[in-house]
Amino acid sequence: MLDSLIAVFLVIATGWLLKARNLVSPSHWLGVERLTYQVLFPAVVIHTLAMADLRGVPVVAMGASLVLAILSVAALLLLTRPLLARAGIDGPAFTSIFQGSVRWNTFVALALAAGLQGRNGATLMAIAVASMIPLLNVLCVVVLARFANGKPMSVGGTVRSILYNPFIWSSAVGLAFNQVQWLLPSAFTGYLDILGRASLGIGLLVVGSALDLNRLARPRLAHGVAVALKLAVMPLAAWLYAGLFGVTGPALTMTIVAGAVPTATAAYFLARDLGGDAPLMAEITTLQTLLALATLPVAVLFLA
C-alpha cells in the first residue's frame, strides 16, 4: 500500500517540479490537461468497464455505499451552513468547502487502484467512477448556482454540463460496450488500452502541475472543515455504508480509497467559472493533496 501511494505522489511531485522549473510552459500544461480530461481518461474508463467481468463484482453495493457517503457529507454541510455563515464563511467560500468535501481526484484513485490490485482494482474503481461522477456534478453545480456570486446556470446549461462531462459519457459508453464486449474488435480495444495506459501517468503529472504551494495561506476554519470532511469523514462514511451492504475484500479496499483520496483539481475551474471562491478552492486542493500522503494509508490500514 505505502509503496503504491509513494509512487503516485512521486509522479505528482514530478508534475509540480516540471511546472515550478518551467520545463513545461503554462500554455502547454493547459493543452495536456485538456488532452487528459477529454481523451485519455475517457479511454481508460471505457476500456476498463467494457472489458470487465462484472458478474462477480458488487456493483450495486459498492456504488450505493459511495453514493450514500457523498449524500451524507453533503447533507451535513447544508445543515450546518447557517453555523458556518455565522463563523464568517460567505457563500462563495461555502461552495469551495462543499466541493473540497465531496469531490474526489479520480486520477489519484485510479492510479492507486491499479497499483494495489491491478486490473481488478481498476475495474472496481471504474464502478466508483460510474456511481459517483454523475451525482457529484449535479450536486456541485446546484450548490454553486445557489450560493456562489456568479450568474446561476440555467437548467439547460446544467443538463448539458452533466451530459458532456467526459467522466459521465465515458462511463455510459463503457457500460454499454460491456454488454457486447465479445463483438468489439481487438484492434479497437487495443487502441483504448494504449490510450488508457497513458492517462494515469499524464493525469498525475497534471495534478502536480496544478498545485501551488505559494497559495497555501495560514490554515483557517474553511481549510479545516474541508480537510476533515474529505480525508476523515468521507472514508469513514463509505466504510460504514459498505459494512451495511456487505462489501468486503478488494471491493471494500477500493471503496475506502475512493472515499479517502483528495478533492479534484478540476474543482478550481468550476469554482472560477461559476463564481465560487477559486483561490480558496486552490488552497484546499493543495492542502488535501499534501495531507493525503499521511491520511490515505491510515484510512486503508484501519478500515479495509
Side-chain angles (χ1 to χ4, degrees), residues 232-266:
V233 176
M234 182 68 80
L236 182 60
W239 173 73
L240 289 171
Y241 287 120
L244 289 176
F245 288 111
V247 179
T248 59
L252 176 60
T253 301
M254 292 302 101
T255 300
I256 294 168
V257 169
V261 292
T263 193
T265 53

Side-chain angles (χ1 to χ4, degrees), residues 34-105:
R34 187 175 293 115
L35 170 68
T36 306
Y37 188 68
Q38 299 287 351
V39 179
L40 301 182
F41 183 77
V44 73
V45 173
I46 292 172
H47 182 264
T48 302
L49 286 174
M51 305 309 294
D53 182 2
L54 299 178
R55 290 171 296 180
V57 177
V59 176
V60 175
M62 184 178 173
S65 301
L66 291 167
V67 165
L68 288 173
I70 291 169
L71 291 175
S72 297
V73 173
L76 178 62
L77 274 171
L78 292 172
L79 288 172
T80 57
R81 168 67 188 131
L83 294 175
L84 294 173
R86 283 198 286 272
I89 293 176
D90 60 14
F94 175 75
T95 64
S96 291
I97 294 173
F98 187 91
Q99 285 205 90
S101 300
V102 300
R103 295 189 68 164
W104 67 318
N105 197 309

Side-chain angles (χ1 to χ4, degrees), residues 167-283:
F167 298 97
I168 294 176
W169 64 255
S170 62
S171 299
V173 171
L175 290 171
F177 282 169
N178 183 268
Q179 304 304 308
V180 293
Q181 59 180 239
W182 63 90
L183 297 177
L184 299 176
S186 58
F188 177 67
T189 58
Y191 157 75
L192 291 175
D193 185 36
I194 292 171
L195 286 179
R197 277 184 276 145
S199 73
L200 296 184
I202 296 176
L204 292 176
L205 290 175
V206 170
V207 170
S209 73
L211 300 182
D212 189 351
L213 301 185
N214 295 323
R215 303 189 75 161
L216 277 181
R218 181 179 299 174
R220 307 192 305 271
L221 176 62
H223 300 87
V225 171
V227 167
L229 289 177
K230 184 67 195 75
L231 301 184
V233 176
M234 182 68 80
L236 182 60
W239 173 73
L240 289 171
Y241 287 120
L244 289 176
F245 288 111
V247 179
T248 59
L252 176 60
T253 301
M254 292 302 101
T255 300
I256 294 168
V257 169
V261 292
T263 193
T265 53
Y268 170 82
F269 301 101
L270 192 62
R272 185 189 61 189
D273 294 343
L274 297 185
D277 190 333
L280 175 61
M281 191 70 255
E283 293 167 7

